Amino acid sequence: MSFSQDLLTRAQPTMDAIMVHPFLKAIAEGNVPDDVLNYYVEQDEHYLKDYLTITALAVTQTDNHEDIAKLLDVAQFIGNESKAHEVMLGITGHQVENWRRGPETLLYVNHMYESAYRGTYADTLAALLPCAWSYEVMGRELVAAGANNEQNPLKEWIELYAPNDDSKSYTIWRFEALDREVAKLTPQQQEHVAQTFLLSLEMEWRFWEAAWVQEKWHFNI
């Protein structure tokens, strides 16, 4: 069993929890409350800016030309995610106005920055990967369940994250790169990479939860 195969086995309980989260169920049914969508978009705008910065850091950590090309593709895809936000804001009529990262957003991006600045290239890949992987899983499963029907106002959002087949997967190369990079590490370092991945995946669940419960800072600073 490869490192990534074992990692995905360890990650499955968290992924299962994401798929049954009330926010995901509401997306499938096309009836997410407006305030939840607005919170999600505002925080995701912050998150994606940091994700793009950390992706750029990853480019500087490798001399693998294929990885560099793929990471640049990732940066392009992040730009396309503004379409996903437009779908949601088109439903609510909201204008993004919150300049401040929420508690869970800040915790998540700080984890990714620490992994990129203090860890190996493998740590950076592991910190970034759960976002892409979990959204691909969500897209595939929601489409498989028929959630992208014409009556669902979030149909376009769902389809953005659901490749038609494995050849169009946007995570296969990442897991292959991760397996290649961890092979250079000690067992202790490999476990650190695994923990980095699993923490990012938990933060994905917490990101959905924060939007669902409208988590805010307790004090104005």
Side-chain angles (χ1 to χ4, degrees), residues 139-160:
R140 287 186 189 280
E141 293 197 11
L142 289 172
V143 167
N148 61 324
N149 57 73
E150 295 298 330
Q151 289 71 44
N152 191 332
L154 291 167
K155 175 180 183 295
E156 186 178 356
W157 186 95
I158 292 169
E159 292 176 344
L160 178 66

Side-chain angles (χ1 to χ4, degrees), residues 23-42:
F23 196 159
L24 268 293
K25 289 185 175 181
I27 288 175
E29 296 167 359
N31 62 359
V32 185
D34 285 0
D35 58 348
V36 173
L37 286 179
N38 293 338
Y39 184 105
Y40 170 86
V41 170
E42 290 190 341

Side-chain angles (χ1 to χ4, degrees), residues 60-199:
T60 70
Q61 293 175 322
T62 181
D63 56 6
N64 185 295
H65 290 186
E66 290 186 6
D67 281 14
I68 291 171
K70 292 290 189 181
L71 288 165
L72 293 175
D73 288 342
V74 170
Q76 180 62 45
F77 183 81
I78 293 171
N80 292 338
E81 288 197 88
S82 62
K83 296 179 182 178
H85 292 169
E86 289 170 6
V87 171
M88 290 182 165
L89 295 181
I91 295 170
T92 68
H94 182 68
Q95 297 293 320
V96 175
E97 56 191 25
N98 181 13
W99 60 269
R100 191 180 188 191
R101 290 168 179 79
E104 295 299 336
T105 307
L106 186 61
L107 182 63
Y108 193 173
V109 299
N110 281 351
H111 159 65
M112 293 196 295
Y113 277 118
E114 181 176 10
S115 299
Y117 280 118
R118 296 189 177 183
T120 64
Y121 175 48
D123 286 298
T124 307
L125 290 174
L128 293 168
L129 219 169
C131 176
W133 175 64
S134 65
Y135 273 72
E136 184 172 11
V137 171
M138 285 185 289
R140 287 186 189 280
E141 293 197 11
L142 289 172
V143 167
N148 61 324
N149 57 73
E150 295 298 330
Q151 289 71 44
N152 191 332
L154 291 167
K155 175 180 183 295
E156 186 178 356
W157 186 95
I158 292 169
E159 292 176 344
L160 178 66
Y161 297 107
N164 295 324
D165 53 60
D166 284 343
S167 66
K168 295 182 180 179
S169 169
Y170 45 85
T171 59
I172 289 177
W173 77 267
R174 303 176 200 233
F175 285 110
E176 291 174 346
L178 189 62
D179 284 337
R180 182 191 70 235
E181 293 300 317
V182 297
K184 306 172 185 177
L185 305 178
T186 67
Q188 183 178 10
Q189 289 173 318
Q190 290 178 357
E191 180 58 23
H192 187 274
V193 171
Q195 291 297 325
T196 297
F197 178 96
L198 295 170
L199 180 54

